[in-house]
Amino acid sequence: DHPLLKEVGMIHSIRHWHGNPHAIWVGAETQEAIYCLNKRGNDIRPKRKIELKDMKKGSGIAHLMFEDSKYNRWIVAVNALIIQYAGDDGFVPVDYDLGTVSGIAEDEHGYVWIGSNKGLYRIRLPEKKGITLPEITRIDNKWQIYSENITAIGVDKAGDLWIGTQEGYIFRHCTQTGIYTDMSAEIH
């Protein structure tokens, strides 16, 4: 019966951060906010609300939340990418138009890959403290991806990146060699 929980409404996304084992983050379907719930055993209490719209106007709802291997937290809203660097309480909006993001994954080299309706992006966060802007590389058709409409993305146990497109193509990107292979014919 906590007022913060009543305000959440319908839940759109839920994420547990390994870097904070006592917190569950919840994205609401109808609000530009995420909520942190503190859990101790079976006791769950609301801890805080973070307004995404205060970080980036018109950000929209949080539909994906991701934690990379260095415990950086990535919040993908409808119109924004917001990062919370490990060990920092603040959130940093990324001022780059990625389009509508459909997936996020990390490869074994520490690159975070984002697929969207505007293509495929490879992102590297800075290693130095105080530098908050990530290095973003847009992967275009010269890399043999026949579509900019990326609908799914994931990394397998071998470290290869798998990319699905709206047109039904499936690509495998070998992160060791950098080669993209159209796997569609072999799968269909």
Side-chain angles (χ1 to χ4, degrees), residues 78-90:
V78 173
N79 298 309
L81 172 63
I82 300 167
I83 300 171
Q84 181 185 36
Y85 290 90
D88 189 351
D89 281 341

Side-chain angles (χ1 to χ4, degrees), residues 19-184:
N20 184 351
H22 300 293
I24 299 289
W25 288 86
V26 177
E29 176 70 30
T30 58
Q31 298 181 43
E32 293 181 57
I34 56 175
Y35 298 82
C36 179
L37 307 177
N38 199 20
K39 70 179 183 81
R40 301 278 182 192
N42 290 330
D43 184 37
I44 299 174
R45 296 178 189 270
K47 184 175 177 182
R48 72 191 248 211
K49 174 183 178 182
I50 297 171
E51 296 279 359
L52 301 178
K53 63 185 176 187
D54 291 345
M55 288 176 254
K56 185 167 183 184
K57 187 176 181 174
S59 62
I61 64 168
H63 67 97
L64 291 172
M65 293 185 275
F66 175 76
E67 183 178 52
D68 66 29
S69 61
K70 294 181 180 175
Y71 304 118
N72 299 303
R73 295 150 188 177
W74 304 67
I75 294 96
V76 178
V78 173
N79 298 309
L81 172 63
I82 300 167
I83 300 171
Q84 181 185 36
Y85 290 90
D88 189 351
D89 281 341
F91 290 83
V92 178
V94 175
D95 193 23
Y96 194 96
D97 183 11
L98 299 168
T100 302
V101 174
S102 56
I104 184 168
E106 181 182 15
D107 70 23
E108 62 185 3
H109 304 290
Y111 285 105
V112 172
W113 295 83
I114 291 183
S116 80
N117 66 329
K118 290 189 174 186
L120 179 66
Y121 299 87
R122 184 182 68 200
I123 302 174
R124 165 83 72 191
L125 293 183
E127 298 290 330
K128 295 180 182 178
K129 290 283 185 194
I131 300 174
T132 58
L133 297 176
E135 171 191 314
I136 301 173
T137 303
R138 183 177 183 280
I139 308 300
D140 59 24
N141 287 343
K142 70 179 179 183
W143 295 100
Q144 300 176 6
I145 298 174
Y146 312 138
S147 173
E148 291 188 348
N149 294 309
I150 308 301
T151 55
I153 192 168
V155 175
D156 65 20
K157 287 185 179 188
D160 290 340
L161 179 71
W162 290 80
I163 305 152
T165 72
Q166 183 176 355
E167 297 81 8
Y169 291 109
I170 299 173
F171 294 92
R172 183 184 74 209
H173 170 61
C174 177
T175 57
Q176 296 294 324
T177 64
I179 295 172
Y180 289 81
T181 305
D182 182 355
M183 304 299 289
S184 307

